[in-house]
Amino acid sequence: MAAITQMKGCFRKGVFALLIVLVLAMVLPYAIPLPHQETADRATLAPPDSQTITVNDITTIVERRGRIGDPAVVLIHGFGGATTNWHPTLPALADAGFDVIALDLPGFGLSDKRFDADYTHASQADFIAAVMDALAIDSATMVGHSMGGSIVAHFAQRHPGRTDRLVFV
């Protein structure tokens, strides 16, 4: 009986020690100060051949390859993505004879990130339509990767006359 009581005491001490380690592991990283880092602006971080566009009070980066007037293809990244996800694809589609556009969705990449913005997929689809208006693109093949697939599906539903084809990646 004494051995069981002793084992219970050791078990409690072990659980208590484990809890202390877990709490320290969760709190300690926030207690260590980080060195000051300079913040680079959007113009410094953006690829040299990209352009900055502001629509609906949101500024974003747009990368465009190919010839204006060729059939348009709009590339929409997934959650956590940016135009950089499409860098291998942009020149290949441009070489194939398309006017290719990739943009950072609001809240992602080098676009504005605000607490008061609407980040629903329907709102993102309307933002894409506004960017297309700013670039004088009437309609395009819409390509969506991951979450971008949901957004281009919303785009096709909300702007059916502007959707030539849908591609889901």
Side-chain angles (χ1 to χ4, degrees), residues 92-162:
L93 288 172
D95 290 346
F98 294 99
D99 178 12
V100 191
I101 297 93
L103 61 113
D104 285 346
L105 293 169
F108 296 93
L110 296 175
S111 71
D112 287 343
K113 295 156 189 70
R114 300 190 328 234
F115 288 111
D116 64 339
D118 181 359
Y119 296 111
T120 62
H121 292 187
S123 175
Q124 300 277 26
D126 293 341
F127 180 80
I128 294 165
V131 169
M132 289 172 62
D133 290 342
L135 298 173
I137 298 171
D138 294 327
S139 66
T141 295
M142 306 300 294
V143 180
H145 171 257
S146 189
M147 176 194 75
S150 173
I151 293 169
V152 299
H154 278 83
F155 182 91
Q157 182 183 30
R158 298 170 73 83
H159 308 278
R162 303 190 74 177

Side-chain angles (χ1 to χ4, degrees), residues 7-165:
M7 285 175 48
K8 285 183 182 179
C10 288
F11 179 75
R12 286 186 187 130
K13 288 179 185 175
V15 168
F16 183 71
L18 181 62
L19 286 174
I20 288 175
V21 168
L22 289 174
V23 167
L24 285 175
M26 292 186 323
V27 172
L28 195 58
Y30 296 102
I32 299 171
L34 295 174
H36 176 72
Q37 295 179 344
E38 293 296 323
T39 303
D41 64 350
R42 186 184 349 248
T44 304
L45 295 172
D49 51 355
S50 65
Q51 63 186 72
T52 302
I53 292 181
T54 302
V55 294
N56 302 339
D57 293 326
I58 296 175
T59 302
T60 192
I61 294 295
V62 175
E63 293 191 51
R64 191 172 193 174
R65 305 282 187 288
R67 286 192 328 239
I68 295 174
D70 284 348
V73 176
V74 176
L75 305 172
I76 304 302
H77 62 77
F79 186 80
T83 57
T84 56
N85 297 127
W86 298 108
H87 282 176
T89 310
L90 286 161
L93 288 172
D95 290 346
F98 294 99
D99 178 12
V100 191
I101 297 93
L103 61 113
D104 285 346
L105 293 169
F108 296 93
L110 296 175
S111 71
D112 287 343
K113 295 156 189 70
R114 300 190 328 234
F115 288 111
D116 64 339
D118 181 359
Y119 296 111
T120 62
H121 292 187
S123 175
Q124 300 277 26
D126 293 341
F127 180 80
I128 294 165
V131 169
M132 289 172 62
D133 290 342
L135 298 173
I137 298 171
D138 294 327
S139 66
T141 295
M142 306 300 294
V143 180
H145 171 257
S146 189
M147 176 194 75
S150 173
I151 293 169
V152 299
H154 278 83
F155 182 91
Q157 182 183 30
R158 298 170 73 83
H159 308 278
R162 303 190 74 177
T163 308
D164 297 335
R165 292 171 200 83

